Each structure stands twice: as C-alpha cells, then as structure tokens.
Amino acid sequence: MSAKIALLPGDGIGPEVVAEARAVLETVGQLFGQTFEFTSHLIGGCAIDAHGDPLPAETLEVCRKADAILLGAVGGPKWDDPTAKTRPEVGLLKIRKELGLYANLRPIKPSPSLIDSSPLKRHIIEGTDILFFRELTGGLYFGKSGLEKTETGETAFNTMIYSTHEVERIVRMACQAAMKRRKKVTSVDKANVLEASRLWRRVAERIVKTEFPEIQYDVVLVDAMAMHLISKPAAFDVVVTENMFGDILTDEGSMLPGSLGLLPSASLGEPGPGLYEPIHGSAPDIAGKGVANPLATILAAAMLLRHSLNLEKPAAAIEDAVEAVLKAGHRTKDIAAAGEKSIGTKEMGKLVLERLKA
Ligand code: IPM
Ligand code: MG
C-alpha cells in the first residue's frame, strides 16, 4: 500500500529543507519496502501571491485526503505589511484549525554530539529529554480579537479562551505519552493572574488525578518555567501548556540542543491527518542561500513515519542516521562552533542519505 504524503514547502527556506526531507523519505521507503506518493501544494506567502489566499481550497482538500502532511515554513518580509488583507501565518493557523490538530508535540532532546554547541553549559543540558505538548487550536491565538477606533487613537485586543474539553483532551494525550516515558507531567499556566489558566489548572489536575494516578504531576507558572527551562531542563519529562505559552517556551527550549534548526514537531488531532514541520520559521535572511539546516525537517519526517504511518523502524533509522552524521562532526552554519567548517543544506541532506544506505 502506498501512503499519500502532501508536501507544503511554503516560503523562505521551507522549499530547501522540505526537498531534503522528501529525499530522505524516498530513500527510507526503498530501504524498508514502503512506497510514498508525494504531491506538493501552496501555503503561506507563495499562495497569497498565486491565489490571494494563504490556504487555497485545493491545498486544504488534498491535505484532508492525505495520510500525512509535511510542511516547511510560512512567512517573510514581503508579506509583513501590518495593513495587508491577509498574512501567510493565517494559512498555517487555518490548516491547524480545519484539521483539528489540537496537540503540537515538540520533543527537546539534545544530541550528545552537540552539547557543546548550546549556549548553555554542559552540566545544565546533560540528561535533558523533554516532550512539550503545546495546545494548538485554542487559547490566545484563536480567541475573540479586534481593532477599534477610539477618541485617542485605536484599541486592539486578543482574548485567551479555553473550555473544559479542550483542556481535557490535550492533558489526556500528554499523560498517555508520559505513561510510556518517565511518568512525569508538568502543566504550565498563569493561574495567579488569568481566569483561563485557573480553569486549565482545575481540569488538568482532575484528569491526571482521576485517570492517571501513577503520574507524578506538578504545576509551574509560565514565568517561572521560562527560568527553569534553562536552569534545570533535565528535571522535566512531559510539559503541557496553552498555545502561546508553548510557542514561546519551545523557541526558548530550542537553545538547549543548540539551534532552532534541529527541532521537529508533530501536530495531531481529529480528524487529522497529522501535520509535521520544523519548529523554525521561514528564515528569510538565509533563504535561497543553501545554508539552512535541514535536520529539523528530516526529523519531522521521522515523526511523520512514527505517528501517522506507524512505521517505527524507518523512523528510528532516520533518527540514528542524523545522530551518526552529527557524531561524525558535520555541521551546518547554525550549529558550527566559531571558526569551525560548515556545510550546506544539500550536503547535510546527502550525508543523512548516505548514512541511511550504509
Ligand atoms: C510556530 C510558529 C507559528 C506559531 C507562526 C508561524 C504562526 O511560530 O509554529 O511555532 O506561532 O504557531
Ligand atoms: Mg513559534
């Protein structure tokens, strides 16, 4: 049986990194006797240019029927005008919402070969293995918002909104993952200030206590979490949090492995299918230069095989190949030490392919 994979390269470095991940999927398919059928579609700024819409109907339809989706990145200065009718990011938020992808899994596990590439000290990073569950279709990103003229100028607002079932399902999914790991869950909120967080905290505690009594559970305020994440990252196992808190904390967390260019993510939910992407953006400053790190997208492809196609062995083979390439000392610019030689996007992709075949 052949699995349908919808590719959404998007903007900036998106097409460059998706091309490498696609080649890795093709190779791993040959090695493990799987066939993948790829189609490529527009999302983000390039879709605005072509159709005036960051998520054209055709893209959404194909994605609904696919077995999994691999996305690069959206956005760039060309579409940044704050008065524009629409924005590339709207396409990404809409596809997440339309496919019901409420859980965004962002693993943060620094490669042993890269510990010294992190701006943080070795003794702080060692032992770090965190799995973030960022709520992805609610909260501050999707609450009521608006812009009004007032006597003195304008007023703009966004609202953070959560309902019981939204908290229940993400916390449940986080706990299920924790049961297969170190059975520890940390829920991050701002319950000392926000009503939405107080609901989040009550519901989270009920789910953990009634459905997962074995789990060691604690709650941390988001400001304190920002601090703990870089002072004692090894203390955490599964972390579950609101949409925007998760957005911010995972960019911060990417400094543990040393670069945004290393972190993959999986967005799961109902009806799906799952969407996989690097957590980095379109990096317009380096787009088209062939220097972007493709590893985050290649690792996202591994997550795709594992979570959407139930292909654990090929997924692990990709992860092992990436680790071996890093261990052999190959570095893209973002993870090279000062003065160290760096290689480009294509070369890095090729090394992973060679390693897979070896
Ligand atoms: C991410 C990105 C997106 C987000 C942007 C591009 C809309 O930062 O996936 O983390 O904020 O969710
Ligand atoms: Mg982000």
Side-chain angles (χ1 to χ4, degrees):
M1 205 194 79
S2 114
K4 288 198 215 77
I5 301 180
L7 301 175
L8 307 180
D11 308 316
I13 60 171
E16 298 166 56
V17 294
V18 167
E20 299 311 313
R22 174 189 178 149
V24 166
L25 283 170
E26 271 165 352
T27 298
V28 96
Q30 283 157 14
L31 293 170
F32 287 85
Q34 302 288 333
T35 45
F36 305 125
E37 215 179 288
F38 296 99
T39 53
S40 191
H41 312 276
L42 297 176
I43 192 169
C46 57
I48 296 179
D49 289 349
H51 301 290
D53 181 353
L55 183 64
E58 185 260 358
T59 299
L60 184 57
E61 277 323 299
V62 179
C63 287
R64 281 193 206 282
K65 293 190 197 119
D67 294 302
I69 306 162
L70 184 68
L71 183 138
V74 298
K78 185 174 173 197
W79 308 280
D80 254 353
D81 175 3
T83 63
K85 270 213 309 286
T86 186
R87 303 177 52 89
E89 290 78 6
V90 171
L92 184 54
L93 299 188
K94 189 166 169 206
I95 195 169
R96 290 171 175 170
K97 191 77 174 176
E98 288 284 337
L99 301 178
L101 306 175
Y102 63 85
N104 184 223
L105 284 63
R106 299 187 161 185
I108 299 182
K109 188 177 177 185
S111 151
S113 318
L114 283 179
I115 298 232
D116 295 313
S117 308
S118 171
L120 295 158
K121 294 195 180 78
R122 171 177 278 271
H123 76 267
I124 289 181
I125 303 161
E126 263 167 353
T128 298
D129 179 1
I130 307 176
L131 178 56
F132 264 91
F133 276 77
R134 168 188 176 195
E135 201 292 326
L136 202 62
T137 52
L140 201 47
Y141 275 53
F142 291 94
K144 198 172 168 215
S145 66
L147 176 68
E148 289 155 11
K149 291 236 181 304
T150 63
E151 274 167 29
T152 50
E154 288 171 293
T155 300
F157 66 94
N158 294 84
T159 47
M160 187 187 284
I161 177 161
Y162 273 107
S163 53
T164 310
H165 88 280
E166 288 178 297
V167 184
E168 284 174 349
R169 64 188 182 181
I170 181 102
V171 171
R172 198 171 278 133
M173 205 194 267
C175 288
Q176 281 159 353
M179 289 303 289
K180 296 189 197 144
R181 295 169 47 100
R182 303 193 302 281
K183 299 195 170 81
K184 229 185 125 180
V185 171
T186 304
S187 174
V188 176
D189 63 35
K190 187 73 185 171
N192 54 346
V193 177
L194 304 173
E195 198 60 53
S197 279
R198 285 191 281 273
L199 174 71
W200 178 288
R201 190 176 281 207
R202 268 195 285 123
V203 175
E205 186 171 318
R206 170 170 57 77
I207 295 293
V208 180
K209 295 278 143 74
T210 59
E211 297 179 22
F212 302 91
E214 274 176 70
I215 280 183
Q216 188 194 336
Y217 174 70
D218 59 357
V219 289
V220 179
L221 293 171
V222 65
D223 47 353
M225 187 65 193
M227 186 172 64
H228 296 327
L229 194 54
I230 49 170
S231 59
K232 48 168 193 173
F236 301 98
D237 177 14
V238 169
V239 178
V240 59
T241 192
E242 188 271 337
N243 200 343
M244 176 160 261
F245 296 163
D247 179 46
I248 298 170
L249 289 174
T250 52
D251 263 32
E252 184 193 6
S254 77
M255 287 296 103
L256 299 163
S259 166
L260 261 181
L262 294 166
L263 292 197
S265 87
S267 302
L268 308 176
E270 286 292 322
L275 183 150
Y276 301 82
E277 53 176 318
I279 87 157
H280 61 67
S282 58
D285 52 322
I286 57 164
K289 295 190 180 151
V291 298
N293 187 347
L295 294 180
T297 316
I298 290 172
L299 291 169
M303 291 187 90
L304 179 158
L305 296 176
R306 175 174 295 125
H307 293 283
S308 282
L309 306 182
N310 206 11
L311 295 172
E312 175 57 34
K313 277 194 184 140
I318 294 175
E319 288 161 352
D320 291 347
V322 166
E323 189 52 48
V325 168
L326 291 172
K327 193 164 180 210
H330 303 292
R331 302 284 184 264
T332 40
K333 214 169 164 189
D334 56 315
I335 47 176
E340 198 178 12
K341 180 181 170 285
S342 64
I343 59 172
T345 312
K346 288 212 169 83
E347 283 166 282
M348 186 54 109
K350 208 166 137 229
L351 285 164
V352 175
L353 289 185
E354 279 165 11
R355 195 68 221 185
L356 271 171
K357 289 182 196 149

